[in-house]
């Protein structure tokens, strides 16, 4: 483990190679899992405000779910997460012609219609942050749908923390990321 401030970071972020490969996974993280994507309070409010702009990107089924229960709910751990369609797809999932999942919120961002990219939990994925009383645990949620990303990361020689530079800075700040990068470089000298 690596400790920076009040965060405990799994060495997997430094040891593992990773580079998203949408052609391999088709955005499976938007439709697989036990619950929706975790939302911070501010994000929930932002998304509710963006909903009129997002609406046309959403499937009819997603609109029905949102009309019935809203954009999010509390999961079994008490976290606020995005609502799901059929217990599977995040309500903000939309599909390309080839079946690749995309985020409707992120489409707005790329079209210049909002400065909010998507929930930070999605931006950080496959890293998950779990808040405890005195610290936050930063872990790699490793599973089969990301296998193509691990292969591509190894081919490109990109470490998980390097691939997630932007969302890690978004979540924890530049100084935190620089500390992680420094620790990672020292650690890799020892194990490589």
């Amino acid at each position: 483990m690596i400790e920076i401030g009040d965060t405990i970071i799994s060495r997997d972020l430094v040891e593992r190679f990773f580079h998203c490969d949408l052609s391999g996974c088709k955005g499976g993280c938007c439709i697989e899992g036990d619950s929706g994507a975790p939302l911070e309070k501010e994000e929930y409010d932002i998304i509710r405000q963006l909903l009129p702009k997002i609406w046309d990107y959403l499937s009819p089924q997603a609109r029905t779910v949102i009309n019935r229960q809203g954009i999010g709910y509390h999961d079994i751990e008490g976290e606020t997460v995005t609502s799901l369609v059929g217990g599977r797809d995040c309500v903000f999932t939309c599909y390309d012609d080839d079946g690749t999942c995309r985020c409707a919120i992120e489409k707005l961002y790329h079209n210049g219609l909002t400065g909010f990219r998507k929930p930070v939990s999605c931006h950080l994925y496959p890293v998950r942050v779990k808040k405890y009383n005195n610290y936050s645990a930063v872990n790699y949620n490793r599973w089969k749908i990301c296998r193509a990303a691990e292969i591509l990361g190894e081919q490109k020689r990109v470490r998980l923390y390097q691939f997630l530079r932007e969302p890690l800075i978004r979540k924890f700040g530049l100084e935190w990321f620089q500390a992680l990068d420094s620790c990672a470089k020292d650690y890799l000298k020892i194990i490589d």
Side-chain angles (χ1 to χ4, degrees), residues 14 161 179-192:
V14 174
Y161 87 95
L180 175 61
D181 187 47
S182 178
C183 288
K185 287 175 179 169
D186 290 343
Y187 177 69
L188 290 170
K189 284 178 192 172
I190 296 167
I191 67 164
D192 282 346

Side-chain angles (χ1 to χ4, degrees), residues 31 33-35 84-89:
I31 60 171
D34 298 332
S35 65
L84 299 176
V85 176
R88 184 177 159 96
D89 291 27

